[in-house]
Amino acid sequence: MTPLEKIRNIAIIAHVDHGKTTLVDALFKGAHMFRDNQRVQERAMDSNDQERERGITILAKTTSLHWAGYRFNIVDTPGHADFGGEVERVLSMVDSVLLVVDAFDGPMPQTKFVTRKALALGLRPIVVINKVDRPGARPLWAQDQVFDLLIELGATEEQLDFPCVFASAKQGYAMLDMNDASENLDPLFDTIVKHCPHPTGSSDAPLQMLVTLMDWSDFVGQIGIGRIVNGRLRVGDAVSLVKRDGSLQQHKVTQLYGFEGLTRIQLQEATAGEIVAIAGIADIRVGETIADATSPVALPYVDIDEPTISMMFMVNAGPFAGQDGKHVQSRRIRERLQKELQHNVALRVEDTDSPDSFKVSGRGELHLSVLIETMRREGFELCVSRPEVILHTDPVTGDKLEPYEDVTIDIPEAFMGVVMEHMGNRKAEMQDMGNEGGRLRLHFKIPSRGLIGFRSEFMTDTRGEGILHSLFSHYGPYKGELPGRKNGVLISMETCESVGFALMNLEERGVIFIHPGTKCYEGMIVGEHARENDLVVNVAKGKKLSNMRASGSDEATRLTPPREHTLEQALEYIEADELVEVTPNFIRMRKRVLDTNERKKSEKRSEG
């Protein structure tokens, strides 16, 4: 057992891509957690498939390492604001935060988001200026920017007096001064030991542990992860589970786990200050307290920010339903969403008037699209609607309020005009502008609705060179109608298989989304029309064959590669009368009403 004075509980927080997970890799190596000949995957903490593919951390994870007699419990947190629910919970487990900032970029929007949460909990940050070996790095400038950010966020005198370490997580060294020479991370370990307080609490007091993370094992079922605030916990102990509504349940601890590097180790006993995982409590939820069986006292729960965006999840009712996925019934979809609620605390699921559709609300498009992607990989088929913002009503005036976002845009100067024009059309207000070596950094306040569908347009406007980051700011006055998609769509007229000859002839009508040989059905979107109206087209029209041939008149079928959509791009592209059909192997866009005649009738009814 490690004594309380030798334990350090610390979370790593940063903006997306500033090197949190790489820094954890470097800390593992610096503490010699692996054998010299052991093969270790890069970004070892990103264990989820989607995390590896997207290159971002989605789920908060706990690890532990030993250095010079000290035990460091480290929590790797997501950098994206859409997963802020994960960050807010885990900060209650730790006593300090490592704030990682890119030496070239300085603090970015998500840095602001997670730092605000940490400061509000009274945590004193240890600042790590990472990537000091990067070309164009300006570590001292980045340090000044962090100081300005902390002042802006209302940090206390003690929080402003932060220790600063300059590091390269990739090269595995850290130093306290840019003029120092260093070959390892010992200066960073020393700084954590000196400036991160050891956990408070007494191992002799009655047991208290707040569940902040959830896991699942096929062998032992639900696993609750959290920090023991007071008392001690042994395998076989009887404990009380204090639910969020104050009710009590009696349980027995069947398994107790600690963390050691990338593995989970079995423990017989743990005391105050340690971060542990506990099994044997079937109905456990995030935010509940595991307490002493005889005198249970609940711990305060950290409030999570409310969702800002909602979508409808529906049963796939298209002609190809059930051909690709295993789980298509509304009952299975409902069970899966309820299971997600057990650990995804920033998510909300509501039943609707229809038994086949559910309203799912989250923190942003990425938050919901990660859930949809996870479900399709598990064999689910479903249809989802366009994301819509959640509106509030001002309790005093009765006015309609909508969510606003802080947007930071990095672009080459050449694209300033077109970006400013499109942001203006979407009711964005410019806050400030700076020039960083030929690249402009623009700050806007924009209604969240204005960002739906904007990212793909933005990438086209800036030819892929623009960087856009957004962060929920506040609820403000409703800004009225916003422009929707400019162009109509090309819609398949029948169930068929697309033919190259037909697609080639349709290219002059607009942009095609499908390859030859794609199975289509009536009402499915196969392309974007060059004009504003929708157009029903025949994608199976073959070449008329006769027995006459002439070398000059026979054209080879030459096709432009189709514009294919990822899940996020499809969700952003569709309008209110359209859906995205998601199956394990296909992402299709379709009209809500598939039948052409029925669709015309419903359009007339809505116009009338």
Side-chain angles (χ1 to χ4, degrees):
M1 301 288 281
T2 311
L4 207 60
E5 298 73 40
K6 294 278 189 178
I7 294 176
R8 297 292 183 271
N9 293 328
I10 195 158
I12 301 188
I13 60 175
H15 182 80
V16 177
D17 239 13
H18 280 198
K20 291 183 305 306
T21 309
T22 309
L23 182 62
V24 176
D25 285 358
L27 290 170
F28 281 152
K29 287 173 187 159
H32 305 292
M33 292 296 292
F34 306 115
R35 297 190 315 274
D36 291 341
N37 65 343
Q38 189 171 342
R39 185 169 174 268
V40 183
Q41 213 164 10
E42 271 190 31
R43 303 202 319 277
M45 291 293 279
D46 282 350
S47 52
N48 178 311
D49 286 347
Q50 285 197 63
E51 290 179 320
R52 294 202 158 280
E53 287 165 24
R54 295 169 186 265
I56 60 172
T57 304
I58 294 170
L59 303 169
K61 293 176 208 69
T62 314
T63 185
S64 178
L65 50 89
H66 295 270
W67 178 85
Y70 286 87
R71 180 185 180 87
F72 296 87
N73 292 320
I74 298 172
V75 185
D76 185 18
T77 64
H80 203 288
D82 280 17
F83 309 109
E86 295 274 329
V87 180
E88 287 160 74
R89 288 175 307 171
V90 298
L91 290 181
S92 62
M93 282 203 290
V94 299
D95 302 298
S96 184
V97 290
L98 277 188
L99 174 57
V100 182
V101 177
D102 190 304
F104 178 78
D105 289 336
M108 296 287 274
Q110 263 81 335
T111 316
K112 189 175 177 179
F113 167 78
V114 285
T115 309
R116 183 189 291 134
K117 300 288 178 196
L119 295 179
L121 289 168
L123 301 176
R124 182 179 175 213
I126 297 169
V127 175
V128 180
I129 307 293
N130 191 24
K131 304 189 186 181
V132 292
D133 58 330
R134 179 178 170 181
R138 4 177 220 181
L140 298 176
W141 170 86
Q143 187 181 3
D144 292 341
Q145 294 292 312
V146 173
F147 187 78
D148 293 345
L149 174 67
L150 294 184
I151 291 175
E152 183 192 331
L153 295 176
T156 62
E157 288 290 325
E158 189 194 4
Q159 288 169 330
L160 285 172
D161 184 24
F162 57 82
C164 190
V165 180
F166 302 95
S168 166
K170 203 168 184 182
Q171 302 299 328
Y173 65 82
M175 49 210 173
L176 299 177
D177 188 281
M178 281 303 292
N179 299 318
D180 293 351
S182 174
E183 294 178 356
N184 55 37
L185 286 175
D186 287 357
L188 177 57
F189 284 118
D190 276 331
T191 307
I192 296 172
V193 167
K194 198 181 294 181
H195 295 282
C196 173
H198 64 75
T200 56
S202 165
S203 52
D204 299 322
L207 173 68
Q208 283 183 304
M209 169 183 160
L210 185 70
V211 179
T212 41
L213 294 171
M214 295 292 298
D215 204 350
W216 170 267
S217 159
D218 290 337
F219 302 105
V220 295
Q222 286 286 14
I223 296 173
I225 300 169
R227 168 178 161 180
I228 302 174
V229 177
N230 284 309
R232 62 180 67 233
L233 197 55
R234 297 181 189 85
V235 175
D237 276 0
V239 294
S240 288
L241 179 67
V242 186
K243 306 293 282 182
R244 295 283 298 277
D245 59 5
S247 60
L248 295 174
Q249 291 181 5
Q250 299 301 315
H251 292 277
K252 187 179 173 185
V253 179
T254 57
Q255 298 276 4
L256 188 62
Y257 303 97
F259 298 93
E260 193 72 52
L262 299 176
T263 56
R264 202 183 278 160
I265 54 171
Q266 287 207 346
L267 302 175
Q268 290 305 308
E269 183 183 7
T271 57
E274 299 211 40
I275 294 175
V276 294
I278 183 171
I281 304 175
D283 193 28
I284 196 167
R285 295 283 183 277
V286 168
E288 296 171 353
T289 303
I290 295 169
D292 189 74
T294 52
S295 54
V297 179
L299 288 164
Y301 177 65
V302 179
D303 280 334
I304 303 291
D305 286 351
E306 287 298 305
T308 55
I309 273 189
S310 67
M311 273 183 208
M312 300 301 287
F313 282 39
M314 292 167 253
V315 170
N316 181 13
F320 297 165
Q323 292 184 9
D324 192 34
K326 293 183 291 186
H327 312 304
V328 293
Q329 307 94 331
S330 61
R331 177 177 56 83
R332 297 304 300 268
I333 294 171
R334 189 172 193 279
E335 282 172 6
R336 178 64 183 82
L337 292 173
Q338 293 299 327
K339 184 182 170 191
E340 186 71 18
L341 287 175
Q342 291 178 5
H343 61 86
N344 197 338
V345 290
L347 198 74
R348 302 280 183 278
V349 177
E350 301 165 48
D351 289 330
T352 61
D353 299 338
S354 164
D356 290 346
S357 61
F358 309 94
K359 184 181 180 183
V360 181
S361 309
R363 291 285 283 270
E365 290 169 73
L366 186 61
H367 184 199
L368 294 176
S369 67
V370 164
L371 169 60
I372 297 166
E373 181 65 34
T374 307
M375 288 176 68
R376 73 181 276 232
R377 290 179 185 206
E378 291 171 5
F380 281 86
E381 280 193 20
L382 64 158
C383 285
V384 288
S385 69
R386 185 180 189 207
E388 290 180 1
V389 299
I390 298 170
L391 301 175
H392 286 185
T393 306
D394 190 315
V396 181
T397 61
D399 293 340
K400 201 158 45 165
L401 302 176
E402 68 174 329
Y404 280 71
E405 309 248 347
D406 275 327
V407 174
T408 303
I409 289 177
D410 256 1
I411 48 167
E413 286 180 22
F415 303 122
M416 178 180 167
V418 65
V419 169
M420 295 278 279
E421 181 190 345
H422 287 162
M423 288 297 277
N425 291 343
R426 290 167 177 270
K427 309 279 175 83
E429 293 174 10
M430 192 170 189
Q431 305 297 302
D432 63 72
M433 178 170 91
N435 193 325
E436 307 277 346
R439 284 183 75 87
L440 294 177
R441 185 170 287 184
L442 313 173
H443 291 263
F444 292 93
K445 276 261 193 304
I446 184 172
S448 299
R449 287 180 302 139
L451 280 181
I452 296 174
F454 177 64
R455 288 172 202 272
S456 49
E457 186 182 307
F458 171 76
M459 294 311 286
T460 307
D461 291 342
T462 59
R463 297 180 190 169
E465 291 187 48
I467 302 168
L468 183 148
H469 291 292
S470 65
L471 173 66
F472 171 72
S473 168
H474 66 287
Y475 268 84
Y478 186 73
K479 283 278 188 124
E481 289 303 311
L482 290 176
R485 190 176 64 210
K486 295 190 191 80
N487 295 41
V489 288
L490 302 176
I491 306 163
S492 172
M493 64 161 54
E494 60 184 351
T495 301
C496 58
E497 205 169 284
S498 62
V499 174
F501 179 74
L503 297 181
M504 183 181 76
N505 288 328
L506 286 173
E507 282 184 351
E508 61 194 42
R509 297 284 191 153
V511 181
I512 304 300
F513 294 165
I514 59 172
H515 290 274
T518 303
K519 288 184 177 178
C520 302
Y521 55 79
E522 185 181 4
M524 180 172 147
I525 295 170
V526 295
E528 181 179 282
H529 194 194
R531 300 189 180 181
E532 290 179 10
N533 62 312
D534 294 344
L535 186 68
V536 178
V537 296
N538 182 0
V539 291
K541 187 178 179 184
K543 195 175 193 178
K544 289 285 182 283
L545 300 178
S546 70
N547 59 355
M548 300 294 287
R549 283 285 174 271
S551 59
S553 62
D554 275 355
E555 285 182 31
T557 303
R558 290 191 184 89
L559 286 172
T560 311
R563 185 202 296 168
E564 296 183 76
H565 290 75
T566 62
L567 177 59
E568 280 93 358
Q569 288 167 344
L571 291 171
E572 286 192 340
Y573 184 80
I574 57 172
E575 286 292 323
D577 66 333
E578 296 162 358
L579 299 172
V580 177
E581 181 185 324
V582 182
T583 73
N585 294 305
F586 299 101
I587 293 170
R588 305 181 181 101
M589 291 180 285
R590 49 163 280 193
K591 287 290 185 184
R592 274 181 192 260
V593 182
L594 296 176
D595 185 271
T596 308
N597 296 325
E598 288 295 324
R599 196 163 57 245
K600 283 178 182 170
K601 284 177 192 172
S602 65
E603 282 169 11
K604 280 177 183 169
R605 279 197 295 271
S606 60
E607 285 169 11

